[in-house]
Amino acid sequence: MTKGNINVSVENIFPLIKKFLYSDHEIFLRELISNATDATLKLKHLTNVGDAKIEYGNPQIEVKIDKDGKKLHITDQGLGMTADEVEKYINQVAFSGAEEFLDKYKDSAKDSGIIGHFGLGFYSAFMVAEKVEIITKSYKDEPAAHWTCDGSPEFTLEPSKKTDRGTEIILHIAEDSTEFLEESKISELLLKYNKFMPIPIKFGTKEINDPEHEPKTTKDKDGKETTEPHKQITVDNIINNPNPAWTKQPAELKNEDYSGFYRELYPMQFEEPLFNIHLNVDYPFNLTGILYFPKMTNDLNIQKDKIQLYQNQVFVTDNVEGIVPEFLTMLRGVIDSPDIPLNVSRSYLQADGAVKKISSYITRKVADKLKSLFNNNREDFEAKWNDIKIVIEYGMLSEEKFFEKADAFALYPTVDGTYYTYEELVNKIKANQTDKDDKMVILYASNKDEQHSYIEAAKAKGYEVLLLDSPIVSHLMQKLETTKEKISFARVDADHIDKIIQKDETKISKLDEDQTKVLDELLKEVISSEKFIVQLEPMDSDAAPFMITQPEFMRRMKEMQATGGGGGMNMFGSMPEMYNLVVNTNSELVSEILGTKTKKKQERLINQSLDLARLSQGLLKGEELTNFIKRSYDMIK
C-alpha cells in the first residue's frame, strides 16, 4: 500500500472547492459521468485502431445508490487505469494548476466554475462527499488499483481484487448532502445533464411487458373472452438516448423524427412546432443541432431559455445568451459544439472569437432556412407569419446581417389579408402613395376595428393600408426609414388622409378669412386646449366634420419608450396624451355651427361632434360616455 500527499502545498484545498462551486454543486454527477463517458469512448477508439487487443462489447455506465451505506457508486466499463496512471492523473496532473487556481481566485470566489481550467473536474466529487474511493482495472494486463482520499491532501493507493475492466467511483456522501442519496434527486440530475450522453447509462431496473410472450385469449362455455395478463420481465433502466436526432444527418430524418425529438426535449409541450432548422457544420468550427420555431405571441416576455446547449452530448446550460443571437433565444431546441469554450461547471461561457463566429453562422443559417421556406411554399409561410413575425422583426432590429437577408422573406400584411415582401409593396404603392416631396408614404393600422373609419378613408383614395400590430413595430419602422430611401411610415389616424399623403393639389375652403377666425375662436372657447390642438382644414365636403388624430412622431416615441428605446427621450413617456382635432371647414355641419344664432346650441353641436370623433377613436369612456349617450337620446326625443 502506498500512502502520500497530493501534489499541493496548500493545507486543504477541498473546503475551497466546496466553497467555490457551492452554488452549482449538483454538477459533480455530470463531471463524473462525463469522465466515465470519455474513458469508454477512448477505449472504443483504441479498439478501432487496433491499439487495444480486446473486445469493446456494449459497455454501459451504471449509477447506483447505497442508501444504508450512504454511498453513491458510478461504474464504467471504459479503459480503466493502472496504479501508475492513478498516481499521474489523480494525484499529480489534476493538481498541477492548483497553486495558480488559488492565487487567482481565493479573493474573488464569486465566479464558480473555474476548476475545470485546471483539470480538477474529478475533485468536484468532494463538494458532496466526505470520502472518495476509486477502484479501477486497466484494459492493459496489469493489477487493479484502489485509491482513497478523505478530503485532505493525504491519500492511500493499494492493489485491488477487481477483475473486470473499467473504473468504479464510490462517493461517501457528506452529512450536508444526503439529498444525493435520494433516487428522485439522482434521477432528476441524470435526466437534466445526461439525457443524451453517447454511452447508455443504467440507473436501476424496470418492469416491462415481455416482448417474447403473446398473451393468450380464451373463451368460456358462454363464449365470453378472457385475455391473460401480460408477462412482466425486469430489464435495465437505461435513462438516456445515446443517439439523439441532432447527431444524425438530416437525410436520415423524416418529419416525424423531428416531431418525436421535440416531444423528447419538451414532454410537457403539447403544441407542435411550426418548423425546424437542422444545423450541421464542421468547418471552421464543429456545431450540430436542431432549432424549432414554436408558435409565438406578441408577448415580449415570452419564456426564453428553452434552447439547450450541449458539449459532445453533455448538457451544459439552457442559458445560451452570447452563443445564440438574442432574437433567436425565443426558439427551442439543441445546440451541440465541442468548440464552445467552457469552464468546470460548464455554465459560464468565455467571450471569444469562436463564439461570435458560431452566433453569426446560426443567424445566417436561420435566415437561409426562412428564405427557402418562403420560396418553397409561400402560402404556408404566409399562414404562419403571425406566429413567427415577432422573432423575425426582432432579428431585423438587432442583427444587421439578418436585416439584410430579411428582405427576401419578411412580410408586410395589409388589413385585407394580402402579404407583400418589401419589394412587392414598393412596386404596388409607389405610383399612388408618393407625396409632393417625392417621399413614399407607407400607411398602416395597428388595430383594424379601432381605426376602421380611417382605414376606409384611405382605401377610398385607392391607398394600401398595412396591418402592423407587433409591440416592436415602431422600432422597426424607424429602422426601415433610416435604411431605405425616401420612405416614411404613417398610421392611418395620424392625420387627415390628405395631410398624411400631401399631393400638389390644394383644397379651397368654403369659409372666408373672417369666418375662419370666428370659427377658430368659437371652437377654442368650448374645447379644452390641454387635450386638443384645433386645426382648421379644407377637406372634401363628405369627409368627417370633426376628426381626432395623434401626431405620428409623438405617438411613436411613446410606443418605442414603452418597449425600450426611443433614443432615451424619457420626456415623451411622461408627457400627457395630446391629440389634434382636425375640423373640416367644408363640412355642412361646420357651416351650421357657424350659422347657429344661440351660443348654447353652438356649444351643444360642438360637444356632440367632438364626442362623436372621440367615440370613433375609443377615447370616450366612463362618465363622459354616459353623458354622451343620455344627451344623444334627448336629441332623438
Side-chain angles (χ1 to χ4, degrees), residues 146-417:
H146 185 175
W147 177 92
T148 310
C149 178
D150 64 359
S152 72
E154 292 174 3
F155 69 88
T156 62
L157 182 59
E158 57 191 334
S160 161
K161 291 178 180 170
K162 181 175 169 69
T163 55
D164 50 333
R165 178 193 75 225
T167 299
E168 179 178 13
I169 311 276
I170 304 168
L171 278 63
H172 296 258
I173 299 297
E175 282 303 319
D176 61 358
S177 298
T178 52
E179 63 183 301
F180 297 109
L181 293 169
E182 298 299 328
E183 195 171 307
S184 58
K185 181 67 178 175
I186 296 301
S187 183
E188 174 200 323
L189 294 183
L190 290 171
L191 286 171
K192 178 178 176 180
Y193 291 113
N194 307 105
K195 192 175 177 179
F196 300 111
M197 294 286 277
I199 304 297
I201 299 166
K202 177 188 173 185
F203 184 53
T205 57
K206 62 182 178 183
E207 299 283 313
I208 63 162
N209 291 337
D210 184 354
E212 307 272 308
H213 174 252
E214 191 63 46
K216 287 187 184 135
T217 301
T218 53
K219 285 185 182 178
D220 63 14
K221 60 177 193 266
D222 299 324
K224 189 179 175 187
E225 289 189 349
T226 308
T227 305
E228 66 180 358
H230 274 281
K231 187 178 172 188
Q232 297 279 293
I233 55 167
T234 303
V235 295
D236 289 349
N237 180 31
I238 304 298
I239 58 96
N240 59 324
N241 170 4
N243 302 299
W246 84 82
T247 63
K248 298 169 184 173
Q249 291 298 316
E252 296 174 51
L253 300 167
K254 297 186 175 74
N255 282 341
E256 50 265 37
D257 297 317
Y258 287 112
S259 298
F261 182 57
Y262 186 73
R263 283 191 292 275
E264 206 174 334
L265 284 173
Y266 311 107
M268 301 310 290
Q269 183 64 41
F270 301 112
E271 259 190 351
E272 287 288 311
L274 298 167
F275 49 81
N276 63 74
I277 296 169
H278 198 130
L279 306 166
N280 196 339
V281 65
D282 52 19
Y283 181 82
F285 46 78
N286 279 295
L287 180 132
T288 52
I290 299 171
L291 295 179
Y292 293 91
F293 266 76
K295 271 195 167 188
M296 297 291 171
T297 65
N298 274 351
D299 182 8
L300 281 175
N301 300 316
I302 191 165
Q303 195 178 356
K304 295 187 182 181
D305 297 339
K306 285 286 192 177
I307 294 176
Q308 299 174 11
L309 178 67
Y310 287 76
Q311 188 191 62
N312 292 326
Q313 294 174 241
V314 183
F315 176 79
V316 176
T317 179
D318 50 15
N319 178 0
V320 292
E321 216 174 315
I323 291 187
V324 173
E326 196 188 348
F327 78 100
L328 293 176
T329 55
M330 292 187 262
L331 302 190
R332 294 182 179 163
V334 163
I335 286 170
D336 189 330
S337 175
D339 293 334
I340 292 170
L342 304 165
N343 50 27
V344 74
S345 69
R346 304 185 184 211
S347 53
Y348 292 92
L349 299 165
Q350 322 293 314
D352 80 345
V355 171
K356 289 184 182 68
K357 284 193 191 104
I358 286 169
S359 178
S360 40
Y361 164 77
I362 293 170
T363 301
R364 191 176 77 245
K365 188 79 179 174
V366 168
D368 291 345
K369 176 71 174 186
L370 290 167
K371 183 180 176 181
S372 77
L373 286 165
F374 174 74
N375 290 339
N376 295 340
N377 190 342
R378 177 165 180 163
E379 197 180 330
D380 184 57
F381 193 83
E382 287 180 358
K384 288 171 178 169
W385 177 253
N386 273 340
D387 294 318
I388 62 173
K389 66 184 177 193
I390 194 87
V391 178
I392 293 171
E393 289 171 355
Y394 193 10
M396 289 169 73
L397 276 171
S398 57
E399 296 283 330
E400 206 53 48
K401 287 271 189 323
F402 189 79
F403 179 80
E404 289 163 16
K405 284 177 168 279
D407 267 355
F409 53 79
L411 293 178
Y412 299 85
T414 70
V415 289
D416 297 320

Side-chain angles (χ1 to χ4, degrees), residues 544-572:
F546 280 40
M547 180 185 283
I548 290 170
T549 64
Q550 194 174 17
E552 177 75 16
F553 174 76
M554 184 78 75
R555 181 187 42 71
R556 202 191 294 183
M557 286 300 149
K558 286 172 87 80
E559 284 172 0
M560 285 168 73
Q561 229 143 20
T563 52
M569 293 181 270
N570 287 324
M571 56 191 239
F572 293 107

